[in-house]
Amino acid sequence: MTGQTIVSGGIQLAGAALAPLAIGAVQWLKARMQGRRGASMLQPYREMRRLWTRSRVRPDGASVVYEAAVPLSVASTFLALLLLPIGSVSPDWGFGNDAIVLFGLLAIGRFALAAAAWDTGSGFELMGAARDLTLAVFVEALFLVVLALLAFPAHSTDLIAMSASAAGGEAWREPAQWAAAVGLGLVILAEAGRRPIDNPDTHLELTMVHEGPTIEFAGRDLALLHWTAAARTWVVLVLAAGVLVPHPGGFAVQLLWLPGWLTAFVILLAVIEATQPKMRLLRVPLLLYGGAVIAMLGLIGRLLGAAV
Amino acid sequence: MTLAGVSAIAGACLIALGGMAAFGRARNRGLDIQIAGVCFLALAGLIVFWSGPAVGADFRSGIDPALGLDPLSGFYLVVLCVVAAPALLFARASLPESGRSAPLIALTAAFVLSMAALVAARDVSTFLVAWELMTLTPAAAMLVWRQDEDVRGAVIFYVGITHVAAVGVWVAMLTLSAEGVLGGEPLGPGGLRTLVLVSALVGFLTKAGIAPFHVWLPRAHPVAPSHISALMSGVMIMLGVYGLSRVLFLWVEDVPSWVGVSLVGLGSLSALVGVLYALVQRELKRLLAFSSIEHAGIVVLGIGAAVLLDAVGQPRWAAIAFAGALLQILNHAAFKGALFLGAGAIGEAAGTLRLDRMGGLLHRMPLTGGAFAIAAFAIAGLPLLNGFVSEWISLQALLRLPVGDSGWFSLVGALGAATLAATAGLAALCFIGVAGVSLLGRPRTSGASEAAEPGGAVAAAIAFLASLCLALALLAGVLVPRLSELGPGFWPGGPSPDLNLPDTGSLPTPALLLALALLAGLVAVVRGSRRAAPAPVWISGQPDEPQLAWTLAGFTKPLRLMADGVLRTRRESTTVSPAGIVESLRFRGDVPHLFDTHLFAPLLWFAARGSKLARRLQSGSLRAYLGYLMALLLFLLLILRLDLLS
């Protein structure tokens, strides 16, 4: 194990602690843009600390499926953190570094919460879980098309190889990369549960998507679920910083690019959040189709480029 | 004679003996003997599959019967036994102890033997006889099991469609045999190759339940007894893929890429059609039948990817794509077998197969219910279980087309991968719903609240298959290199637990599963054992009544609204309001199967009209037949007289 892998592994683990900060920063910036003072960037940590002292809840009739849901979604999201490339390097944890496996790990939490929703039998929870799983159908299909573009320069779906070949930024000379950026942007918005696909601030039972399945959880369970939501956002943002945008230079220089790009993404998320209303649920697939069509056009463009 | 050969012969003899013994006094003894026979067959299959060499005869072009096993046959024999052993155990515990079930047991033996004979057939006559028997024995089993109108309709439909399609199999196999291909050189390019490929595609894919030839499948599977359904769905339809892969990768030289494109297209169509219609079913076994169409589609997608990757010169990935398809077949056998047997057990215990009348069965039958849940999550593609692993391989193989730069086939690969990902997402929605509505929550009817755990043998049969779902996820890295040797291309990857495919980030399921379990345990410990406060579920303060419980229809509503343009749901609501006061509301909604109404209804209409006309010719009157003979004679004489033939 070299120094580089130790550093990158340390940053992967630090993501677990820093993830709520990214969420807090988006909320703070959004409030500023809307002319409010807003809560401090550290607000997510305070909420988690408050929730940690509260008692958990056991809904009537809930079984082991409900009990296992939170540990499983926390554990799978944590594992996803360990697959991320940091500065085009990742320590060999023995979990591989595959892009599709990364998304699979994020899907485990969705599965666990949907099963818990059926376990409690709560209608509101099921409503959110059904929407979440339904949107995931379109998001997963979109992600695969985007991956077909992003994995091309490296000829591999290994995140380290993808990150290394994305570092120089040569891919941006092709229209395919711009199409992939649009598609990946939509995937990030959907996975992170941000507007216009979902509204992270709503707590009205009938409008929630990602927040819906958490409705029967309280206390430490809810604190852990808040962390999971933040960590999911962190994972997709670090992924985009690693495999989409250019980050030239040696390992140390690439490490400096990472906070820079993360800040840029946080600002971008806040701008989208402040300016876009939440879409009607049934229109979201059209948005995602649109992303897939653009990505397919990118692929066709690449093929035409190769043909002439 | 090697151990494998002896074991295979002993197994076949025991199964035949067990089938006959069913007519004796001890019915269970007959099934016991059959189970022992299946174990012997499994041993033979395992030996030949894992370590070779082939036993028995080689393929030959004559029509003298010949039997033998090579590694691919061995693999399919293992698939057969993986389902057959628990299915027989299930039958032993669930069939009534009366003489009525004796013919059914004998037919089960015949069914298992015909499938074993098909994979062991080494000449065209054995192959075709086994093929026909494999179609007819389950039909007979359905008729013996139930005698109502539904079953007769389903069986006619099933036998009719599979027989029309069997023409394709006959044409392909007889042509290959006549050309001396079975025992000799593969068929080179030319018109004959196109004929063989087209007829093989139609014939074998119909058996596999691939859209648009799938309409028999959702009719036939639900009406069969559960252990026959498990065998039909887990093994029989996949033997269509067996025949197809023999033709494509053994008997035909240089498969043209249009075959690959059509396979990817048809596979995508079936996967989507299967899972979309599964989502809107209300009856458990019919839902599972549609899901079999989906999985046959996923397998065919993998085969299509193998053909295309071979055609564009990526032999490593062609081998891996084929291995992924085979692994999907084995996985499907494990979870679909568990689900069909579980459906039988649940239907027996709850008194219904209507999903919205179940609920809370996990509390009432923890062992069977738990195993059913694991199988449902595995088929839903829950990451790190076996269904996810084989879908991951197929996704990677399809992605290899655009990622590995293969010209315009890139588009086919990207579209196929996107379809497969969407299918996985839909399957997740479908089977989380199925597990949730049947096993979790509270019972919806008194039948569900009084359900009891079935006998130990039933639970053991289902639990065996469910634990196989976990084992296959762990063993994938060891199995895939061996499986990749059975098809096209070449991949020099050695077995490793990491499933380290070239140019991917690898999928080390053992490490990931272990880490997941440890971390989840850690979180559970950190969360503390402080007592959680019991609380009612939040439903806006209303009293919690069973009528408020969610149904599968509610769970899939967002998707059905989004896919309404494809599904064309029929909704009909009537309000009874005499004198302006609403007395009752009636709502009826159903999703018609568009392939039935738009594609097969016109075909059936033509067939019925045609047979009506033909019936007019067959008047039964001697004079009319003499007239036909006279007309024919005159016609032939006329031809001779006018010298039309030369």
Side-chain angles (χ1 to χ4, degrees):
Chain A
M1 187 173 266
T2 63
Q4 288 186 1
T5 58
I6 293 173
V7 172
S8 74
I11 295 175
Q12 284 175 341
L13 291 173
L18 291 172
L21 184 64
I23 298 285
V26 174
Q27 296 297 90
W28 180 80
L29 256 174
K30 182 170 76 175
R32 286 290 153 133
M33 273 185 265
Q34 290 169 336
R36 296 183 284 123
R37 252 181 68 214
S40 138
M41 287 191 198
L42 299 177
Q43 186 62 20
Y45 295 99
R46 293 182 188 145
E47 271 177 37
M48 280 161 59
R49 194 183 62 198
R50 173 177 62 83
L51 285 168
W52 196 256
T53 60
R54 302 285 164 89
S55 155
R56 291 168 54 221
V57 164
R58 218 183 107 79
D60 294 340
S63 72
V64 61
V65 176
Y66 173 86
E67 294 289 326
V70 170
L72 266 181
S73 50
V74 172
S76 57
T77 315
F78 186 81
L79 278 180
L81 284 173
L82 302 184
L83 261 56
L84 290 169
I86 304 287
S88 305
V89 174
S90 168
D92 186 13
W93 298 99
F95 303 138
N97 295 85
D98 193 69
I100 302 178
V101 175
L102 179 80
F103 265 72
L105 285 171
L106 292 183
I108 291 182
R110 201 157 43 223
F111 263 83
L113 286 183
W118 277 107
D119 196 28
T120 60
S122 154
F124 294 122
E125 211 178 333
L126 278 166
M127 201 182 290
R131 290 171 180 171
D132 199 4
L133 286 171
T134 305
L135 293 185
V137 173
F138 301 94
V139 176
E140 282 169 17
L142 171 61
F143 174 67
L144 258 293
V145 183
V146 172
L147 189 60
L149 293 174
L150 283 182
F152 178 72
H155 297 300
S156 170
T157 57
D158 186 354
L159 288 171
I160 297 174
M162 284 168 71
S163 181
S165 67
E170 295 88 359
W172 287 88
R173 291 192 203 120
E174 304 276 332
Q177 187 75 3
W178 295 87
V182 174
L184 192 67
L186 288 173
V187 171
I188 288 172
L189 288 179
E191 281 291 329
R194 313 300 300 196
R195 283 188 210 166
I197 289 168
D198 185 13
N199 182 357
D201 295 335
T202 182
H203 286 90
L204 175 65
E205 296 99 322
L206 295 174
T207 61
M208 296 188 291
V209 182
H210 286 86
E211 289 280 304
T214 65
I215 199 169
E216 290 298 329
F217 293 92
R220 294 188 171 185
D221 280 339
L222 193 56
L224 288 167
L225 286 177
H226 280 197
W227 177 84
T228 312
R232 287 172 78 86
T233 309
W234 180 266
V235 167
V236 286
L237 292 186
V238 174
L239 180 72
V243 302
L244 182 71
V245 290
H247 43 92
F251 177 70
V253 184
Q254 291 199 15
L255 286 190
L256 293 179
W257 281 102
L258 181 63
W261 278 117
L262 285 181
T263 315
F265 292 151
V266 162
I267 294 172
L268 201 60
L269 274 185
V271 170
I272 294 172
E273 191 94 357
T275 54
Q276 292 293 313
K278 180 182 175 304
M279 273 183 140
R280 232 189 113 204
L281 185 73
L282 297 181
R283 297 187 61 88
V284 173
L286 288 180
L287 179 70
L288 298 173
Y289 276 138
V293 168
I294 290 175
M296 279 315 262
L297 286 177
L299 184 59
I300 292 173
R302 197 184 74 205
L303 294 173
L304 285 175
V308 291
Chain B
M1 197 95 194
T2 59
L3 174 62
V6 174
S7 175
I9 291 170
C13 292
L14 279 174
I15 295 173
L17 188 70
M20 286 184 271
F23 290 102
R25 240 178 305 157
R27 181 192 62 105
N28 280 346
R29 196 61 50 78
L31 281 168
D32 288 341
I33 299 172
Q34 284 189 44
I35 294 172
V38 167
C39 292
F40 275 109
L41 271 191
L43 179 68
L46 259 182
I47 294 173
V48 176
F49 161 59
W50 193 251
S51 52
V55 296
D58 283 332
F59 279 105
R60 59 172 77 154
S61 289
I63 55 165
D64 308 330
L67 291 170
L69 290 173
D70 64 356
L72 187 63
S73 304
F75 169 76
Y76 276 93
L77 207 54
V78 172
V79 172
L80 168 65
C81 296
V82 156
V83 185
L88 289 166
L89 195 63
F90 178 88
R92 187 183 187 282
S94 68
L95 287 183
E97 183 77 49
S98 67
R100 202 168 71 84
S101 51
L104 184 57
I105 293 171
L107 281 169
T108 309
F111 186 32
V112 173
L113 274 181
S114 65
M115 288 191 283
L118 181 77
V119 296
R122 286 297 172 265
D123 70 291
V124 67
S125 57
T126 319
F127 188 94
L128 290 175
V129 167
W131 183 263
E132 293 298 320
L133 278 179
M134 178 179 89
T135 307
L136 292 176
T137 41
M142 283 177 229
L143 290 173
V144 167
W145 177 241
R146 270 170 57 179
Q147 276 96 19
D148 49 86
E149 185 99 12
D150 285 355
V151 178
R152 284 203 297 272
V155 168
I156 292 233
F157 216 92
Y158 160 59
V159 173
I161 290 187
T162 42
H163 266 92
V164 171
V167 173
V169 175
W170 281 71
V171 168
M173 293 302 295
L174 288 174
T175 312
L176 287 172
S177 179
E179 290 296 307
V181 169
L182 293 197
E185 290 296 304
L187 194 61
L192 214 51
R193 188 183 70 170
T194 312
L195 172 76
V196 166
L197 285 172
V198 170
S199 46
L201 281 181
V202 172
F204 287 119
L205 291 186
T206 304
K207 195 72 190 175
I210 291 295
F213 318 118
H214 65 281
V215 285
W216 62 272
L217 203 151
R219 283 187 170 76
H221 286 206
V223 296
S226 289
H227 70 282
I228 297 280
S229 307
L231 280 166
M232 285 172 79
S233 180
V235 190
M236 185 185 80
I237 61 169
M238 295 305 179
L239 290 181
V241 179
Y242 165 75
L244 187 66
S245 48
R246 284 282 190 210
V247 172
L248 291 182
F249 302 125
L250 186 64
W251 294 327
V252 167
E253 200 179 2
D254 295 334
V255 185
S257 45
W258 62 261
V259 173
V261 175
S262 347
L263 285 175
V264 171
L266 290 173
S268 303
L269 181 70
S270 314
L272 274 183
V273 163
V275 71
L276 264 180
Y277 281 104
L279 271 169
V280 296
Q281 301 306 315
R282 297 175 190 149
E283 205 239 352
L284 181 52
K285 279 175 90 172
R286 204 169 145 77
L287 185 150
L288 292 177
F290 273 106
S291 139
S292 299
I293 298 172
E294 174 216 335
H295 279 269
I298 296 176
V299 172
V300 168
L301 260 175
I303 303 275
V307 171
L308 281 180
L309 287 162
D310 205 28
V312 300
Q314 296 202 43
R316 282 196 309 180
W317 273 96
I320 297 171
F322 187 72
L326 289 185
L327 189 65
Q328 178 75 25
I329 289 176
L330 186 56
N331 289 339
H332 178 251
F335 42 62
K336 194 51 73 65
L339 289 173
F340 263 116
L341 297 182
I346 287 175
E348 189 69 29
T352 178
L353 281 171
R354 286 280 303 271
L355 281 162
D356 292 336
R357 296 194 182 153
M358 301 176 181
L361 291 174
L362 191 61
H363 299 279
R364 304 287 310 169
M365 34 204 298
L367 208 58
T368 315
F372 188 85
I374 291 175
F377 288 142
I379 201 173
L382 174 62
L384 306 184
L385 286 181
N386 61 346
F388 175 77
V389 176
S390 49
E391 277 167 28
W392 180 78
I393 300 174
S394 295
L395 278 176
Q396 291 284 6
L398 285 163
L399 267 187
R400 223 35 56 177
L401 289 166
V403 170
D405 199 14
S406 49
W408 289 97
F409 294 128
S410 297
L411 281 180
V412 179
L415 279 174
T419 315
L420 184 51
T423 306
L426 289 166
L429 181 66
C430 179
F431 278 95
I432 290 177
V434 167
V437 81
S438 59
L439 301 173
L440 304 175
R442 259 151 294 183
R444 289 177 176 73
T445 57
S446 57
S449 62
E450 284 153 20
E453 183 80 63
V458 170
I462 302 167
F464 164 73
L465 287 168
S467 53
L468 204 62
C469 292
L470 201 62
L472 283 172
L474 294 172
L475 291 175
V478 183
L479 279 173
V480 168
R482 176 70 190 130
L483 290 172
S484 71
E485 294 167 20
L486 305 182
F490 174 69
W491 175 46
S496 88
D498 283 356
L499 192 53
N500 203 351
L501 305 184
D503 294 329
T504 70
S506 83
L507 173 56
T509 32
L512 281 169
L513 273 171
L514 185 69
L516 192 67
L518 286 179
L519 278 171
L522 186 70
V523 173
V525 169
V526 168
R527 187 173 64 173
S529 54
R530 214 171 101 184
R531 209 175 62 84
V537 171
W538 173 244
I539 37 174
S540 305
Q542 303 174 72
D544 183 14
E545 287 170 27
Q547 289 91 329
L548 289 177
W550 264 49
T551 59
L552 200 55
F555 193 63
T556 57
K557 184 79 180 180
L559 187 97
R560 284 184 299 134
L561 286 176
M562 289 169 189
D564 211 29
V566 186
L567 288 172
R568 314 260 170 126
T569 314
R570 282 191 298 230
R571 296 188 185 85
E572 194 183 310
S573 60
T574 35
T575 318
V576 184
S577 55
I581 300 164
V582 177
E583 277 189 353
S584 66
L585 287 167
R586 206 169 301 137
F587 178 79
R588 240 180 60 80
D590 68 329
V591 180
H593 194 58
L594 293 180
F595 283 87
D596 280 2
T597 53
H598 283 61
L599 188 63
F600 278 83
L603 281 180
L604 276 180
W605 186 83
F606 275 114
R609 279 305 288 263
S611 49
K612 215 173 194 175
L613 284 176
R615 196 173 343 160
R616 221 174 277 166
L617 294 174
Q618 303 282 359
S619 61
S621 137
L622 191 61
R623 270 171 299 176
Y625 289 108
L626 285 174
Y628 296 154
L629 275 180
M630 188 68 95
L632 179 69
L633 197 65
L634 280 175
F635 176 67
L636 292 176
L637 281 174
L638 200 67
I639 288 179
L640 215 62
R641 185 83 188 90
L642 298 178
D643 222 12
L644 289 177
L645 285 181
S646 64

